[in-house]
Amino acid sequence: MNIHFLDNWRRRHATDLDAGRRPAVRESDPEGMAQLLSECELLRARASTAGVELDDSVASLEALDQLLPRWRDDPEELSWLGNDAGLYLGTVIVRTVPGAVWQLTPNVGPMVRLASDREIDVVAAGQGWAAVGAPELSQLYAEVSES
């Protein structure tokens, strides 16, 4: 996959990186960033095996919440799947909540910033969902979409 926009973006925002905060990816290539972060290969494979289609909809988040958590027996898969779940949650938010954008944050990673400037650590939420089932992805989406 060609992800040339990341190199260009890093060069343009080198001073922001030194300051410890990266701006929202609006001006560079937001579609490329969204495509990169929406891949979630392991989650998509597990969902497909369970008969769940991940179509970037709220209904797909609800279907994920209903999956049996068989991944919890494998610590390596648990971490990877939690990361994917967070990125998928972020993908649904960015594609369906007006004004939501991906933001790259040092020492945290990809986050979602809402139009209200509220930042959501979707990866941490996905990790929690994968490990203990809470917060439910659809519940977090509902909370975020009302903001």
Side-chain angles (χ1 to χ4, degrees), residues 4-142:
H4 66 281
F5 69 90
L6 285 178
D7 291 332
N8 294 335
W9 184 85
R10 285 185 187 120
R11 277 192 292 275
R12 282 197 312 268
H13 299 295
T15 55
D16 292 328
L17 296 175
D18 294 337
R21 182 182 165 110
R22 297 178 187 177
V25 181
R26 291 178 195 234
E27 64 278 344
S28 60
D29 185 2
E31 282 303 313
M33 176 66 76
Q35 179 182 355
L36 176 67
L37 296 175
S38 71
E39 288 184 1
C40 315
E41 290 181 35
L42 180 62
L43 180 68
R44 289 183 187 279
R46 295 296 175 265
S48 178
T49 300
V52 174
E53 180 186 354
L54 299 185
D55 59 359
D56 301 343
S57 69
V58 179
S60 65
L61 292 175
E62 293 167 353
L64 284 174
D65 287 336
Q66 301 305 312
L67 290 179
L68 291 175
R70 293 189 171 108
W71 57 83
R72 291 187 186 148
D73 296 333
D74 182 350
E76 188 174 316
E77 184 171 329
L78 174 68
S79 176
W80 194 267
L81 192 88
N83 187 69
D84 277 8
L87 294 176
Y88 184 71
L89 170 64
T91 296
V92 175
I93 293 170
V94 167
R95 291 189 176 162
T96 61
V97 175
V101 294
W102 282 108
Q103 177 172 312
L104 299 176
T105 304
N107 302 321
V108 177
M111 296 181 67
V112 171
R113 189 172 77 201
L114 304 177
S116 66
D117 282 337
R118 177 179 171 201
E119 295 177 346
I120 312 296
D121 188 346
V122 290
V123 173
Q127 293 286 346
W129 172 82
V132 296
E136 289 185 340
L137 300 175
S138 59
Q139 178 183 6
L140 186 55
Y141 176 86

